[in-house]
Amino acid sequence: MYLADQTWPDLGDYVAEESVAIVPLGSTEQHGPHLPLSTDHTIAESLAREAAERTGFLCTPTINVGVSPHHRQFHGTMWVDPPQFRDYVESFTRNLTYHGIDRVVYVNAHGGNVQHLREVGRRLRDDGESYCIEWMWDESITPLVEELFETPGPHGGPKETSMMLHLDPDNVREDRIEDAAEGGCRNFPEDVDTVRHGSRTFYDAADNTANGVLGDQTDASAENGEQLFEAATEQLVFLLEWLDEQAFADLLPKPHVDPQPGSKR
């Protein structure tokens, strides 16, 4: 069920029975010379919509711009600063809790959002208002990613290229895939000199890759993308069903161990 397509009475019927929502989030940022800036939010929205279709749970509109200042040297990249992103997502989520939603899965497709979504989830859980968890699609199917690709890469590599060949092939510049691989960093962090003595001495993607790419896209295919999409959707459905089955009280923070602070005063 997609929230924006419903009427308010339809949504009243939903929250009378259900309390789960799916929130897709991504970014609008460079993904090399071959992939569109929409890559992350296209993947996130596609997975969220498909999981909503299979489960009947509510899917919200997508948050398309995330925490991406580390890609700012490349044309067109958009970003918001972390405090503003966290506050926006928290406010967005509190909209949902006001209407009766008390558990949320953030379907995330951008690594730069992860720590900030975790922080928002902690805030809302500590308030006792809702239980919100971040889900990263490729981390849910790591064995399959490693089986399909020799050098999957964390950004603009074959896993994202394959997903986009499956989801939005018209916007993939297939004639640039070879150039993307040759002009980027195929093996990260092995092929860079910005990790020294255990310290990450880089801050931006441009410190590691001339064209914004990390990974070898030549293994990418629409067929691989279909496998990734199906496997990740299955994992997301399992997560949503698990979350729906939990008692809300069991999702909240555990009490302080005994003796309770101030109990003898």
PDB file of all heavy atoms in Angstrom, residues 12 16 21 36 53 58 64-65 68 71 85 105 107 118 125 128 183 223 228 238 262:
ATOM      1  N   GLY A  12      -7.197   5.385   7.473  1.00  0.00           N
ATOM      2  CA  GLY A  12      -7.816   5.122   8.771  1.00  0.00           C
ATOM      3  C   GLY A  12      -8.075   3.642   8.957  1.00  0.00           C
ATOM      4  O   GLY A  12      -7.861   3.084  10.045  1.00  0.00           O
ATOM      5  N   ALA A  16      -6.118   1.232  11.840  1.00  0.00           N
ATOM      6  CA  ALA A  16      -6.974   0.529  12.794  1.00  0.00           C
ATOM      7  C   ALA A  16      -6.541  -0.918  12.981  1.00  0.00           C
ATOM      8  O   ALA A  16      -6.819  -1.525  14.012  1.00  0.00           O
ATOM      9  CB  ALA A  16      -8.429   0.582  12.329  1.00  0.00           C
ATOM     10  N   ALA A  21       5.213   0.704   9.087  1.00  0.00           N
ATOM     11  CA  ALA A  21       5.411   1.513   7.882  1.00  0.00           C
ATOM     12  C   ALA A  21       6.806   1.274   7.325  1.00  0.00           C
ATOM     13  O   ALA A  21       7.759   0.997   8.061  1.00  0.00           O
ATOM     14  CB  ALA A  21       5.210   3.000   8.167  1.00  0.00           C
ATOM     15  N   PRO A  36      23.004   6.864 -13.240  1.00  0.00           N
ATOM     16  CA  PRO A  36      22.382   8.150 -12.937  1.00  0.00           C
ATOM     17  C   PRO A  36      22.505   8.509 -11.462  1.00  0.00           C
ATOM     18  O   PRO A  36      22.711   7.638 -10.605  1.00  0.00           O
ATOM     19  CB  PRO A  36      20.913   7.919 -13.320  1.00  0.00           C
ATOM     20  CG  PRO A  36      20.710   6.453 -13.110  1.00  0.00           C
ATOM     21  CD  PRO A  36      22.009   5.816 -13.527  1.00  0.00           C
ATOM     22  N   GLU A  53       3.914  -4.242  -1.655  1.00  0.00           N
ATOM     23  CA  GLU A  53       2.959  -4.970  -2.489  1.00  0.00           C
ATOM     24  C   GLU A  53       2.782  -6.400  -1.996  1.00  0.00           C
ATOM     25  O   GLU A  53       1.658  -6.934  -1.968  1.00  0.00           O
ATOM     26  CB  GLU A  53       3.458  -4.966  -3.933  1.00  0.00           C
ATOM     27  CG  GLU A  53       2.548  -5.671  -4.924  1.00  0.00           C
ATOM     28  CD  GLU A  53       1.244  -4.938  -5.167  1.00  0.00           C
ATOM     29  OE1 GLU A  53       1.189  -3.701  -4.933  1.00  0.00           O
ATOM     30  OE2 GLU A  53       0.279  -5.598  -5.592  1.00  0.00           O
ATOM     31  N   LEU A  58       2.277  -0.452   4.779  1.00  0.00           N
ATOM     32  CA  LEU A  58       2.247   0.907   4.255  1.00  0.00           C
ATOM     33  C   LEU A  58       3.646   1.359   3.838  1.00  0.00           C
ATOM     34  O   LEU A  58       4.605   1.220   4.592  1.00  0.00           O
ATOM     35  CB  LEU A  58       1.709   1.841   5.338  1.00  0.00           C
ATOM     36  CG  LEU A  58       1.471   3.294   4.957  1.00  0.00           C
ATOM     37  CD1 LEU A  58       0.315   3.407   3.972  1.00  0.00           C
ATOM     38  CD2 LEU A  58       1.191   4.122   6.206  1.00  0.00           C
ATOM     39  N   ASN A  64      14.687  11.416  -1.045  1.00  0.00           N
ATOM     40  CA  ASN A  64      15.592  11.271  -2.187  1.00  0.00           C
ATOM     41  C   ASN A  64      16.980  11.880  -1.993  1.00  0.00           C
ATOM     42  O   ASN A  64      17.901  11.550  -2.748  1.00  0.00           O
ATOM     43  CB  ASN A  64      14.971  11.911  -3.433  1.00  0.00           C
ATOM     44  CG  ASN A  64      13.804  11.111  -3.969  1.00  0.00           C
ATOM     45  OD1 ASN A  64      13.680   9.928  -3.700  1.00  0.00           O
ATOM     46  ND2 ASN A  64      12.942  11.760  -4.723  1.00  0.00           N
ATOM     47  N   VAL A  65      17.123  12.789  -1.046  1.00  0.00           N
ATOM     48  CA  VAL A  65      18.406  13.438  -0.819  1.00  0.00           C
ATOM     49  C   VAL A  65      18.897  13.073   0.577  1.00  0.00           C
ATOM     50  O   VAL A  65      18.151  13.215   1.552  1.00  0.00           O
ATOM     51  CB  VAL A  65      18.301  14.971  -0.972  1.00  0.00           C
ATOM     52  CG1 VAL A  65      19.637  15.646  -0.671  1.00  0.00           C
ATOM     53  CG2 VAL A  65      17.839  15.322  -2.385  1.00  0.00           C
ATOM     54  N   SER A  68      25.431  13.204   1.707  1.00  0.00           N
ATOM     55  CA  SER A  68      26.348  12.869   0.609  1.00  0.00           C
ATOM     56  C   SER A  68      27.443  13.903   0.369  1.00  0.00           C
ATOM     57  O   SER A  68      27.934  14.024  -0.758  1.00  0.00           O
ATOM     58  CB  SER A  68      25.549  12.690  -0.692  1.00  0.00           C
ATOM     59  OG  SER A  68      24.566  11.704  -0.578  1.00  0.00           O
ATOM     60  N   HIS A  71      30.638  13.183  -1.771  1.00  0.00           N
ATOM     61  CA  HIS A  71      30.624  13.103  -3.238  1.00  0.00           C
ATOM     62  C   HIS A  71      30.505  14.477  -3.888  1.00  0.00           C
ATOM     63  O   HIS A  71      30.245  14.573  -5.088  1.00  0.00           O
ATOM     64  CB  HIS A  71      29.454  12.224  -3.697  1.00  0.00           C
ATOM     65  CG  HIS A  71      29.594  10.784  -3.338  1.00  0.00           C
ATOM     66  ND1 HIS A  71      30.550   9.968  -3.893  1.00  0.00           N
ATOM     67  CD2 HIS A  71      28.884  10.012  -2.465  1.00  0.00           C
ATOM     68  CE1 HIS A  71      30.432   8.739  -3.388  1.00  0.00           C
ATOM     69  NE2 HIS A  71      29.437   8.750  -2.520  1.00  0.00           N
ATOM     70  N   PHE A  85      19.528  16.394   8.332  1.00  0.00           N
ATOM     71  CA  PHE A  85      18.983  15.113   7.874  1.00  0.00           C
ATOM     72  C   PHE A  85      18.339  14.362   9.030  1.00  0.00           C
ATOM     73  O   PHE A  85      17.206  13.869   8.915  1.00  0.00           O
ATOM     74  CB  PHE A  85      20.103  14.270   7.255  1.00  0.00           C
ATOM     75  CG  PHE A  85      19.671  12.908   6.811  1.00  0.00           C
ATOM     76  CD1 PHE A  85      18.993  12.721   5.615  1.00  0.00           C
ATOM     77  CD2 PHE A  85      19.956  11.787   7.585  1.00  0.00           C
ATOM     78  CE1 PHE A  85      18.593  11.455   5.198  1.00  0.00           C
ATOM     79  CE2 PHE A  85      19.567  10.513   7.181  1.00  0.00           C
ATOM     80  CZ  PHE A  85      18.883  10.353   5.982  1.00  0.00           C
ATOM     81  N   VAL A 105      10.510   0.508   9.267  1.00  0.00           N
ATOM     82  CA  VAL A 105      11.752   0.033   8.652  1.00  0.00           C
ATOM     83  C   VAL A 105      12.203   1.087   7.648  1.00  0.00           C
ATOM     84  O   VAL A 105      11.480   1.405   6.707  1.00  0.00           O
ATOM     85  CB  VAL A 105      11.569  -1.331   7.965  1.00  0.00           C
ATOM     86  CG1 VAL A 105      12.841  -1.714   7.191  1.00  0.00           C
ATOM     87  CG2 VAL A 105      11.238  -2.409   8.984  1.00  0.00           C
ATOM     88  N   VAL A 107      14.126   1.658   4.690  1.00  0.00           N
ATOM     89  CA  VAL A 107      14.723   0.910   3.578  1.00  0.00           C
ATOM     90  C   VAL A 107      15.734   1.840   2.920  1.00  0.00           C
ATOM     91  O   VAL A 107      15.384   2.745   2.174  1.00  0.00           O
ATOM     92  CB  VAL A 107      13.637   0.443   2.594  1.00  0.00           C
ATOM     93  CG1 VAL A 107      14.264  -0.194   1.362  1.00  0.00           C
ATOM     94  CG2 VAL A 107      12.705  -0.545   3.286  1.00  0.00           C
ATOM     95  N   ARG A 118      20.424   5.290  12.366  1.00  0.00           N
ATOM     96  CA  ARG A 118      20.554   4.598  13.653  1.00  0.00           C
ATOM     97  C   ARG A 118      20.344   5.578  14.814  1.00  0.00           C
ATOM     98  O   ARG A 118      19.698   5.232  15.810  1.00  0.00           O
ATOM     99  CB  ARG A 118      21.926   3.952  13.759  1.00  0.00           C
ATOM    100  CG  ARG A 118      22.159   2.805  12.796  1.00  0.00           C
ATOM    101  CD  ARG A 118      21.456   1.539  13.234  1.00  0.00           C
ATOM    102  NE  ARG A 118      21.953   1.054  14.515  1.00  0.00           N
ATOM    103  CZ  ARG A 118      21.365   0.070  15.203  1.00  0.00           C
ATOM    104  NH1 ARG A 118      20.292  -0.518  14.731  1.00  0.00           N
ATOM    105  NH2 ARG A 118      21.869  -0.319  16.355  1.00  0.00           N
ATOM    106  N   ARG A 125      13.167   5.457  19.949  1.00  0.00           N
ATOM    107  CA  ARG A 125      13.006   4.319  20.870  1.00  0.00           C
ATOM    108  C   ARG A 125      13.159   4.763  22.319  1.00  0.00           C
ATOM    109  O   ARG A 125      12.387   4.342  23.191  1.00  0.00           O
ATOM    110  CB  ARG A 125      14.036   3.252  20.516  1.00  0.00           C
ATOM    111  CG  ARG A 125      13.977   1.983  21.368  1.00  0.00           C
ATOM    112  CD  ARG A 125      14.944   0.966  20.800  1.00  0.00           C
ATOM    113  NE  ARG A 125      14.933  -0.298  21.503  1.00  0.00           N
ATOM    114  CZ  ARG A 125      15.919  -0.720  22.302  1.00  0.00           C
ATOM    115  NH1 ARG A 125      16.992   0.042  22.499  1.00  0.00           N
ATOM    116  NH2 ARG A 125      15.852  -1.897  22.901  1.00  0.00           N
ATOM    117  N   GLY A 128      10.207   6.111  23.727  1.00  0.00           N
ATOM    118  CA  GLY A 128       9.100   5.175  23.856  1.00  0.00           C
ATOM    119  C   GLY A 128       8.012   5.390  22.841  1.00  0.00           C
ATOM    120  O   GLY A 128       6.897   4.874  22.984  1.00  0.00           O
ATOM    121  N   GLY A 183      38.640   3.691 -15.166  1.00  0.00           N
ATOM    122  CA  GLY A 183      38.972   4.996 -14.592  1.00  0.00           C
ATOM    123  C   GLY A 183      38.728   5.114 -13.112  1.00  0.00           C
ATOM    124  O   GLY A 183      39.037   6.147 -12.511  1.00  0.00           O
ATOM    125  N   GLU A 223      20.423  -9.716 -15.468  1.00  0.00           N
ATOM    126  CA  GLU A 223      20.081 -11.010 -14.859  1.00  0.00           C
ATOM    127  C   GLU A 223      20.586 -11.067 -13.417  1.00  0.00           C
ATOM    128  O   GLU A 223      19.875 -11.521 -12.515  1.00  0.00           O
ATOM    129  CB  GLU A 223      20.678 -12.151 -15.680  1.00  0.00           C
ATOM    130  CG  GLU A 223      20.072 -12.339 -17.060  1.00  0.00           C
ATOM    131  CD  GLU A 223      20.493 -11.275 -18.060  1.00  0.00           C
ATOM    132  OE1 GLU A 223      21.554 -10.622 -17.848  1.00  0.00           O
ATOM    133  OE2 GLU A 223      19.759 -11.058 -19.054  1.00  0.00           O
ATOM    134  N   LEU A 228      19.567 -10.213  -7.422  1.00  0.00           N
ATOM    135  CA  LEU A 228      19.780  -9.380  -6.246  1.00  0.00           C
ATOM    136  C   LEU A 228      18.467  -8.796  -5.744  1.00  0.00           C
ATOM    137  O   LEU A 228      18.196  -8.788  -4.531  1.00  0.00           O
ATOM    138  CB  LEU A 228      20.748  -8.246  -6.581  1.00  0.00           C
ATOM    139  CG  LEU A 228      22.188  -8.627  -6.930  1.00  0.00           C
ATOM    140  CD1 LEU A 228      22.931  -7.403  -7.453  1.00  0.00           C
ATOM    141  CD2 LEU A 228      22.915  -9.221  -5.740  1.00  0.00           C
ATOM    142  N   PHE A 238      10.763 -10.768   5.069  1.00  0.00           N
ATOM    143  CA  PHE A 238      10.970 -11.509   6.318  1.00  0.00           C
ATOM    144  C   PHE A 238      11.116 -10.548   7.499  1.00  0.00           C
ATOM    145  O   PHE A 238      10.560 -10.779   8.575  1.00  0.00           O
ATOM    146  CB  PHE A 238      12.215 -12.392   6.222  1.00  0.00           C
ATOM    147  CG  PHE A 238      12.069 -13.587   5.327  1.00  0.00           C
ATOM    148  CD1 PHE A 238      13.192 -14.147   4.740  1.00  0.00           C
ATOM    149  CD2 PHE A 238      10.835 -14.157   5.066  1.00  0.00           C
ATOM    150  CE1 PHE A 238      13.081 -15.258   3.910  1.00  0.00           C
ATOM    151  CE2 PHE A 238      10.704 -15.264   4.235  1.00  0.00           C
ATOM    152  CZ  PHE A 238      11.836 -15.817   3.663  1.00  0.00           C
ATOM    153  N   GLY A 262      18.254   5.208  42.626  1.00  0.00           N
ATOM    154  CA  GLY A 262      17.421   5.949  43.561  1.00  0.00           C
ATOM    155  C   GLY A 262      16.418   5.100  44.302  1.00  0.00           C
ATOM    156  O   GLY A 262      15.584   5.635  45.058  1.00  0.00           O
TER     157      GLY A 262
END
